[in-house]
């Protein structure tokens, strides 16, 4: 109880299956006494492009623009754009980050990738000398909850779905020091019966009831590629 959760949600339609998963998470976690904040990226019309608009005031090097350097310098002097500062504050306060989205082309939707690109800047989320287990966002948990178009069997014949999680879970979250909980995958909700969809929603509700008792995965290559 009293924990803070940030759900970064990337789906255009509230009536979608992703919308139902979001609704369940908000209701269940709120019921537990958690403070839940939602960044509904499409509703916010979140800007996914990393541009010089992300820097307020002077540039560190106006001759040649380097996004990573400029955002790092801007972060240090408090010169990042308002939308980034707001998202970073939400991340900073959260004990658990849940990313809720449909899998697009074996990855996250562009708007969510843009959130990662723009919000998790150097100085805030990582430092090159402080990454992975020593990352700047330690003591936080993350969970990737997503839906797929293909069935579990389809994914099994083309290589484990875990391979796809390496760039997201390991390359982003673990790199920033965030611990990673087992992903929550709802396979092909569009192609299953209403009964099966209800079961999927119930399973998500049940999982959230004991989410704070879960142990993070072992963030090593073995987990992904064994």
């Amino acid at each position: 109880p009293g924990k803070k959760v940030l759900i970064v949600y990337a789906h255009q339609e509230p009536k979608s299956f992703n919308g139902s998963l979001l609704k369940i998470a908000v209701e269940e976690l709120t019921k537990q006494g958690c403070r839940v904040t939602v960044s509904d990226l499409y509703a916010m019309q979140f800007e996914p492009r990393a541009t010089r608009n992300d820097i307020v005031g002077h540039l560190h090097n106006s001759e040649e623009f380097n996004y990573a350097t400029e955002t790092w310098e801007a972060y240090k002097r408090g010169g990042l754009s308002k939308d980034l500062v707001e998202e970073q504050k939400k991340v900073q306060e959260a004990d658990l980050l849940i990313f809720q989205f449909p899998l697009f082309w074996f990855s996250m939707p562009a708007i969510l990738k843009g959130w990662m690109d723009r919000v998790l800047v150097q100085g805030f989320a990582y430092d090159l000398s402080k990454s992975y287990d020593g990352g700047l966002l330690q003591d936080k948990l993350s969970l990737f909850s997503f839906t797929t178009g293909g069935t579990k069997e389809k994914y099994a014949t083309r290589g484990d779905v875990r391979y796809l999680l390496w760039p997201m879970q390991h390359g982003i979250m673990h790199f920033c020091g965030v611990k990673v909980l087992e992903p929550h995958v709802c396979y092909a909700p569009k192609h299953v019966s209403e009964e099966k969809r209800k079961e999927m929603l119930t399973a998500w509700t049940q999982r959230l009831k004991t989410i704070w008792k879960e142990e993070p995965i072992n963030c090593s290559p073995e987990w992904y590629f064994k």
Side-chain angles (χ1 to χ4, degrees):
K3 299 266 194 195
K4 292 178 185 161
V5 182
L6 170 62
I7 306 175
V8 185
Y9 170 72
H11 198 289
Q12 310 90 327
E13 176 51 67
K15 295 194 198 95
S16 64
F17 194 78
N18 273 273
S20 300
L21 292 164
L22 170 69
K23 195 162 172 274
I24 284 171
V26 173
E27 283 170 8
E28 182 51 46
L29 292 164
T30 304
K31 209 187 286 175
Q32 292 175 23
C34 300
R35 206 173 93 204
V36 184
T37 304
V38 178
S39 283
D40 182 340
L41 301 183
Y42 285 102
M44 291 157 68
Q45 297 192 323
F46 186 82
E47 168 59 81
R49 295 169 299 178
T51 69
R52 57 184 69 207
N53 295 339
D54 294 349
I55 291 99
V56 176
H58 69 274
L59 291 177
H60 180 66
N61 177 357
S62 53
E63 301 296 307
E64 190 179 329
F65 185 75
N66 178 310
Y67 187 80
T69 305
E70 292 296 344
T71 47
W72 185 28
E73 293 296 335
Y75 177 74
K76 287 190 282 193
R77 65 177 168 80
L80 286 173
S81 61
K82 187 165 165 280
D83 60 338
L84 294 195
V85 174
E86 281 170 9
E87 292 307 298
Q88 287 176 345
K89 189 167 181 288
K90 294 176 195 174
V91 171
Q92 197 67 62
E93 290 177 350
D95 297 297
L96 168 64
L97 307 166
I98 296 177
F99 299 98
Q100 181 63 59
F101 58 97
L103 202 67
F104 283 3
W105 291 114
F106 278 24
S107 188
M108 59 182 95
I111 200 165
L112 178 54
K113 178 58 166 57
W115 185 94
M116 303 280 183
D117 292 348
R118 295 181 62 228
V119 175
L120 304 176
V121 304
Q122 186 170 351
F124 168 69
Y126 71 94
D127 200 323
L128 295 179
S129 62
K130 297 188 183 88
S131 53
Y132 293 112
D133 293 339
L136 300 180
L137 298 179
Q138 284 174 59
D139 306 324
K140 294 186 189 301
L141 295 167
S142 62
L143 193 166
F144 286 84
S145 168
F146 59 94
T147 58
T148 68
T151 61
K152 191 168 189 173
E153 294 67 38
K154 280 222 174 90
Y155 275 93
T157 60
R158 293 170 191 166
D160 201 305
V161 75
R162 289 177 175 209
Y163 299 167
L164 317 181
L165 292 160
W166 172 255
M168 304 186 222
Q169 294 186 162
H170 179 77
I172 304 176
M173 286 297 114
H174 186 203
F175 185 78
C176 296
V178 181
K179 291 181 180 66
V180 179
L181 296 176
E182 194 78 36
H184 199 86
V185 191
C186 289
Y187 289 97
K190 197 166 164 228
H191 304 296
V192 298
S193 65
E194 189 55 40
E195 191 59 32
K196 188 80 187 113
R197 276 199 288 274
K198 281 192 179 131
E199 278 172 29
M200 286 180 181
L201 295 175
T202 305
W204 179 227
T205 310
Q206 289 309 116
R207 179 172 179 192
L208 289 165
K209 285 185 192 302
T210 55
I211 198 79
W212 302 106
K213 295 194 175 104
E214 289 188 20
E215 285 297 317
I217 65 167
N218 162 21
C219 255
S220 65
E222 290 74 39
W223 187 90
Y224 296 91
F225 306 111
K226 66 185 174 202

